[in-house]
Amino acid sequence: MNRRTLFLGASALAALAACGDSSKFLSYSGPQVTQIQVFKGKRMMYLLHGDTVLESYKISLGGDPIGPKHFEGDGKTPEGLYYINRRNPNSAYYLSIGISYPNPQQVAYAAAQGKKAGGDIFLHGRDGKNKGRGRDWTAGCIAVKDKEIREIYAMVRENTPIFIFP
């Protein structure tokens, strides 16, 4: 293979890679989201600026949503105050935003029971393939539709508090 063919092939691959799904990344210039409130019993999540609700979403939760998360694999969604602590643009669930579960007290409680507290709790989309899986299907995460996680991903910043209520 000559250099010209190699160069043209590499250029074409680079151009194709640059044409990825840029539509999943939206821009947002509205009011800052100052907190997120999740109401597990109502299956609702609200993005707020102060006391003003900016957006609301129907949510799916862990497969066993009643009660707080204590252990890895219990299928429960945590309850309490946490913070958004990371962003994953390459999530297996379209886009995802990390929640700071577990806190040190939760780790200590699980360890005292001879178990792990778990982790990797996210607010994420469905990635198409999880449509129709029922009301609560995650391993403890909070899920919304893919079009909704695009909005949330654009609006929410790291260190935003997230209150998860029963």
Side-chain angles (χ1 to χ4, degrees):
M1 179 181 301
N2 67 34
R3 287 183 186 208
R4 179 184 163 115
T5 304
L6 183 61
F7 175 75
L8 289 174
S11 297
L13 283 175
L16 283 173
C19 293
D21 185 9
S22 62
S23 65
K24 77 178 186 179
F25 300 106
L26 304 177
S27 61
Y28 176 71
S29 60
Q32 177 184 357
V33 174
T34 57
Q35 67 175 289
I36 303 167
Q37 293 183 357
V38 174
F39 294 87
K40 290 171 49 174
K42 294 180 182 179
R43 305 300 192 281
M44 289 297 296
M45 179 175 70
Y46 302 93
L47 305 186
L48 290 95
H49 174 77
D51 293 336
T52 303
V53 174
L54 300 173
E55 295 291 340
S56 62
Y57 303 94
K58 291 181 180 178
I59 58 172
S60 295
L61 300 169
D64 185 9
I66 298 172
K69 182 168 194 61
H70 290 297
F71 309 114
E72 182 176 67
D74 64 8
K76 296 187 181 293
T77 300
E79 295 175 0
L81 169 61
Y82 302 95
Y83 294 89
I84 299 303
N85 64 357
R86 60 200 183 278
R87 301 162 66 77
N88 183 358
N90 300 311
S91 172
Y93 297 97
Y94 196 65
L95 292 170
S96 61
I97 301 172
I99 298 171
S100 64
Y101 174 87
N103 63 37
Q105 295 81 10
Q106 291 163 321
V107 171
Y109 176 80
Q113 306 300 313
K115 299 182 178 183
K116 293 181 181 177
D120 285 337
I121 300 296
F122 285 86
L123 169 55
H124 61 66
R126 292 181 172 264
D127 194 33
K129 65 184 175 234
N130 295 296
K131 290 181 182 174
R133 287 190 63 187
R135 181 171 168 179
D136 296 315
W137 57 270
T138 77
C141 295
I142 300 164
V144 295
K145 295 176 182 176
D146 289 348
K147 69 178 187 170
E148 295 169 337
I149 194 62
R150 283 193 301 264
E151 295 171 1
I152 296 163
Y153 197 88
M155 294 174 74
V156 173
R157 298 289 159 242
E158 287 188 30
N159 300 313
T160 301
I162 177 168
F163 296 90
I164 306 174
F165 300 101

